Amino acid sequence: MFKLLAVLALVSASVAHRYKGGIYRQTKNATYDYQNLTWDEAHEYEECDDFVDSYEEQDEGVGKDGAEALNDMHHFMSRHHPKRMEDICIDVEAGPVCPDFHRDNSAGHCGFETVIIPKGKWMVADIDMADEMGVRNAYKKKIFYKYRGPHKIRFVYPAIVKWQLNKNGDRVKGEIAMFLPAEHQSNPPKSEYNEVRIEEWDETKVYLRPYGGYRDDAEFKQQFTLLREAVGMAGLIYKDNEEWEAGYTYLRYGRQRIEAMVLDSSYKA
């Protein structure tokens, strides 16, 4: 019933998600009382005053319409406070880890967080735009079964979904990518399949809004609109032909985190 999914997110990127059972420690070991966090504390940046009334977040710890969570865990079906990074990048020995993304709460501005993604090597697969399950299949059938699995590569958060946009803002091309863990950065295993390639990405600056929910939510799509408005109000320039999703959590299992991203168009490392 529960399947390995790719989200941004993402990723997430929303990225690769699978059912983990009732004692999944990343959900059990949450270090924050999310219901008592302010909005700014939960999202780790200051929200714009004009945005506050444009949406609502439920943080009751129950399923949609008050349904009881399965396995006594919180299957948040409605929008909720996103999982904080401190509660995601906690398994530093054997489990999923996070690369060294430099995060800044964009002090002096509102409505977004600033993140520097370091230069590094990624495993990348194209998304079939004609496939309704294109993101999931790009991860599961390509990256997981044809590269990560055979080479026993650890899961590194996030999964990034990169979308190329046409002049109308429609998504016309997609890729899913995962950062290679440190032990494979200098000498990544060779891909035996054309469907998966290794790319080295330059250091990149992105602006983002984290979201507690799922990549198909209408409210998540709204984050890109609010993000572009906030970045524009700050006088910053972003690429108008590209948007990314970063996914950090297992789909429909516990608190979620997916990030809507746009890229700084003038950043030089």
Side-chain angles (χ1 to χ4, degrees):
M1 171 174 163
F2 292 88
K3 298 180 179 179
L4 187 63
L5 298 177
V7 221
L8 322 75
L10 274 160
V11 339
S12 243
S14 331
V15 14
H17 303 296
R18 68 177 171 271
Y19 179 68
K20 299 293 286 187
I23 57 171
Y24 185 42
R25 66 185 165 202
Q26 282 196 223
T27 301
K28 278 291 192 184
N29 289 354
T31 57
Y32 288 92
D33 180 359
Y34 283 87
Q35 294 186 47
N36 290 323
L37 291 176
T38 67
W39 195 99
D40 290 356
E41 289 171 341
H43 295 75
E44 300 177 85
Y45 63 85
E46 181 181 353
E47 182 61 303
C48 298
D49 291 340
D50 292 344
F51 294 174
V52 172
D53 295 329
S54 65
Y55 50 78
E56 182 180 4
E57 289 186 348
Q58 303 291 333
D59 219 70
E60 307 287 327
V62 297
K64 195 169 187 177
D65 300 324
E68 293 185 8
L70 302 178
N71 301 315
D72 297 320
M73 304 299 287
H74 296 336
H75 290 249
F76 291 88
M77 300 300 292
S78 299
R79 179 175 178 175
H80 51 273
H81 288 340
K83 195 167 189 175
R84 289 173 58 108
M85 293 305 301
E86 292 93 329
D87 281 342
I88 294 171
C89 305
I90 56 175
D91 196 354
V92 296
E93 294 182 0
V97 295
C98 302
D100 186 19
F101 288 11
H102 175 71
R103 292 180 173 266
D104 186 312
N105 65 1
S106 304
H109 303 301
C110 67
F112 64 92
E113 184 178 358
T114 302
V115 173
I116 303 295
I117 299 176
K119 181 177 181 178
K121 294 184 175 69
W122 298 70
M123 47 190 130
V124 184
D126 291 330
I127 296 168
D128 182 353
M129 301 298 289
D131 182 359
E132 184 179 356
M133 302 294 289
V135 174
R136 172 186 181 273
N137 288 333
Y139 172 76
K140 185 175 181 180
K141 294 183 178 180
K142 297 178 182 179
I143 285 182
F144 182 75
Y145 282 126
K146 293 187 176 182
Y147 191 77
R148 264 198 66 219
H151 295 292
K152 297 180 172 59
I153 294 175
R154 291 186 300 148
F155 193 104
V156 176
Y157 291 115
I160 298 283
V161 178
K162 299 173 64 174
W163 299 109
Q164 299 294 324
L165 311 178
N166 64 17
K167 293 181 179 180
N168 297 321
D170 300 321
R171 294 173 173 178
V172 294
K173 182 180 178 181
E175 300 172 335
I176 186 168
M178 298 189 70
F179 198 82
L180 282 157
E183 63 268 25
H184 295 299
Q185 277 290 318
S186 62
N187 187 27
K190 181 181 178 181
S191 176
E192 303 296 332
Y193 299 90
N194 293 332
E195 293 95 333
V196 183
R197 58 191 178 275
I198 303 302
E199 295 181 353
E200 185 172 59
W201 295 1
D202 291 333
E203 183 176 291
T204 304
K205 178 189 283 187
V206 300
Y207 307 113
L208 65 84
R209 288 176 63 88
Y211 175 80
Y214 308 99
R215 56 187 304 272
D216 292 331
D217 291 352
E219 293 115 312
F220 177 61
K221 296 176 176 62
Q222 180 194 29
Q223 301 313 298
F224 287 100
T225 301
L226 297 175
L227 175 60
R228 290 184 172 95
E229 184 176 345
V231 171
M233 290 190 300
L236 302 170
I237 307 299
Y238 58 87
K239 292 184 178 180
D240 59 6
N241 64 343
E242 193 168 354
E243 62 188 21
W244 293 8
E245 300 171 4
Y248 284 89
T249 45
Y250 285 88
L251 182 64
R252 307 199 188 286
Y253 193 92
R255 189 174 298 276
Q256 301 289 304
R257 184 187 184 92
I258 182 172
E259 297 173 342
M261 295 179 168
V262 295
L263 286 67
D264 186 295
S265 60
S266 61
Y267 180 72
K268 302 293 183 183

